[in-house]
Amino acid sequence: MISLTVTAVVFGVVFLAELPDKTALAGLVLGTRYRASYVFAGVAAAFALHVVLAVAAGSVLTLLPQQIVQALTGVLFLGGAAVLLLRKGEDEEEVRKPENQSFWKVSGAGFMLILVAEFGDLTQIMTANLAARYDDPLSVGLGAVLALWAVAGLGIVGGKALMKKVPLRLITQIAALVMLALGLWSLWEAVTG
C-alpha cells in the first residue's frame, strides 16, 4: 500500500533538490531545440531507471540496525545540505544535437544525457536515503519519480519563465534547509532511539 504522506514528503524534498540541478537546464536546452514530448519520454525513462536503482540501494540499507541507518541517513542529509549551500552556480552544458528529429533519436539523446549526468547525483543519493529512512520503497519511488518528472517537465516546457520569477539561489536554499531538517531529525532519532 502506498503512503500519501511519505510520497508527498519525498516529492517535496526531491523536487526542491533537483530544480536547481544542471539536468533541469539540460532539459530546457533540449526542449527548446526538439519536440518536447520526445525529449520528455527519454528523460522520464532515465529518471525512472535512476529511482529504481536508488530505492533498491536504500532498501538494502534497511537490513542494518535502525539506529545505524538513522545516523547514516542523517549524516548523508547534512552532507547533501552542505553540497547545496556550497555549490557554485552551474552553467548550461553543451548538448549534442541529434541528426534528425525522429522520436528515437531525440528521446535517446534525452535518455543518455540524464542517464550519464544523474548517475550518483545528489537526488539519487537522497532517494536512497529516503528509501532507507521510511522503509517504504513504493511510496519513496513514486514520490521521487514524480518529482523528477515534474522538474523535467518544468525544465523542458517552462524553465525560462520559472527561473525569471523564482531565483535559483532561493530554490537551492529551501532545498538545503529541508535536507538540514531531515538530517538533524534523523540524527536525533538515532541518538534517542
Side-chain angles (χ1 to χ4, degrees), residues 40 43-45 47-48 144-154:
F40 184 77
V43 167
F47 274 135
V145 81
L146 290 176
L148 293 168
W149 289 354
V151 171
L154 285 173

Side-chain angles (χ1 to χ4, degrees), residues 145-183:
V145 81
L146 290 176
L148 293 168
W149 289 354
V151 171
L154 285 173
I156 292 166
V157 176
K160 284 182 184 175
L162 179 67
M163 294 305 171
K164 286 180 183 175
K165 298 196 183 299
V166 181
L168 188 60
R169 180 113 176 107
L170 176 63
I171 295 167
T172 302
Q173 289 172 341
I174 291 170
L177 287 175
V178 169
M179 290 182 69
L180 178 66
L182 284 170

Side-chain angles (χ1 to χ4, degrees), residues 3-170:
S3 165
L4 292 178
T5 303
V6 171
T7 301
V9 167
V10 171
F11 179 92
V13 170
V14 172
F15 181 87
L16 287 172
E18 186 64 24
L19 200 55
D21 196 67
K22 64 188 173 296
T23 52
L25 296 174
L28 171 65
V29 171
L30 285 172
T32 59
R33 294 182 184 176
Y34 308 109
R35 187 179 219 171
S37 60
Y38 292 5
V39 173
F40 184 77
V43 167
F47 274 135
L49 178 59
H50 276 291
V51 167
V52 167
L53 294 173
V55 168
S59 295
V60 169
L61 289 177
T62 63
L63 300 175
L64 296 172
Q66 189 63 23
Q67 283 184 303
I68 292 173
V69 171
Q70 288 170 334
L72 181 62
T73 57
V75 168
L76 290 172
F77 275 130
L78 292 176
V83 166
L84 283 177
L85 290 173
L86 299 174
R87 176 169 61 181
K88 302 292 181 208
E90 295 177 336
D91 298 328
E92 291 182 21
E93 293 182 355
E94 188 64 33
V95 178
R96 275 195 257 160
K97 188 172 186 172
E99 295 170 9
N100 63 37
Q101 292 279 332
S102 77
F103 173 79
W104 294 111
K105 291 275 187 182
V106 174
S107 63
F111 180 84
M112 290 308 294
L113 176 74
I114 298 302
L115 189 67
V116 172
E118 285 293 305
F119 198 80
D121 190 61
L122 179 63
T123 52
Q124 191 177 32
I125 294 167
M126 283 176 46
T127 301
N129 288 341
L130 290 163
R133 174 162 177 64
Y134 290 113
D135 195 16
D136 186 352
L138 287 177
S139 300
V140 170
L142 181 62
V145 81
L146 290 176
L148 293 168
W149 289 354
V151 171
L154 285 173
I156 292 166
V157 176
K160 284 182 184 175
L162 179 67
M163 294 305 171
K164 286 180 183 175
K165 298 196 183 299
V166 181
L168 188 60
R169 180 113 176 107
L170 176 63

